Amino acid sequence: VEEKNPPLSEKTKADIGPKIRKDFDFSVVRSDLNAINEALDEDTQRGTDRIVRAILQDITELEIAQKQKPGVPRSETRLKNVCGKLDKLEKAFGDYLAFAD
């Protein structure tokens, strides 16, 4: 997640859509998180289920927020919005990984 922010701050025209779709393929992420969840005990699953849903929602929101017309730079507001979605996704992954400790 962290590696997506530098291209955005350097180039407001950066097309991060293909990278997001590749790195955060919705069905692959969902399948992987569900597989990990199955290995956890029931009490832990109750906590992680909520976080998994949040991660999947964040990926969907990021995909929508990053879209832009070719050659048109992102406005400051859109740039902040995309960076905010990336930060939110990073936090959700961090919360999920905290259950592994």
Side-chain angles (χ1 to χ4, degrees):
V1 174
E2 291 175 6
E3 68 186 44
K4 308 290 181 287
N5 269 335
L8 281 175
S9 15
E10 295 166 9
K11 300 177 185 173
T12 58
K13 291 183 184 180
D15 183 10
I16 62 168
K19 182 91 171 127
I20 288 172
R21 284 187 290 280
K22 180 180 173 250
D23 292 350
F24 300 118
D25 184 316
F26 190 88
S27 61
V28 173
V29 171
R30 180 179 56 205
S31 176
D32 290 349
L33 291 174
N34 286 340
I36 294 168
N37 243 13
E38 288 176 12
L40 303 173
D41 64 70
E42 240 179 78
D43 290 334
T44 305
Q45 282 183 12
R46 276 189 223 113
T48 57
D49 282 345
R50 177 186 53 80
I51 297 171
V52 168
R53 286 191 304 274
I55 288 171
L56 296 174
Q57 180 64 33
D58 290 345
I59 291 171
T60 302
E61 290 176 5
L62 178 60
E63 177 67 28
I64 292 167
Q66 67 80 32
K67 289 183 180 176
Q68 69 184 50
K69 293 179 182 176
V72 177
R74 284 180 182 85
S75 67
E76 191 65 33
T77 303
R78 284 188 64 112
L79 184 60
K80 284 181 185 178
N81 188 22
V82 171
C83 290
K85 300 289 183 193
L86 286 166
D87 292 342
K88 187 178 171 190
L89 183 59
E90 183 178 358
K91 182 184 179 318
F93 274 115
D95 291 346
Y96 186 79
L97 292 173
F99 278 94
D101 290 336

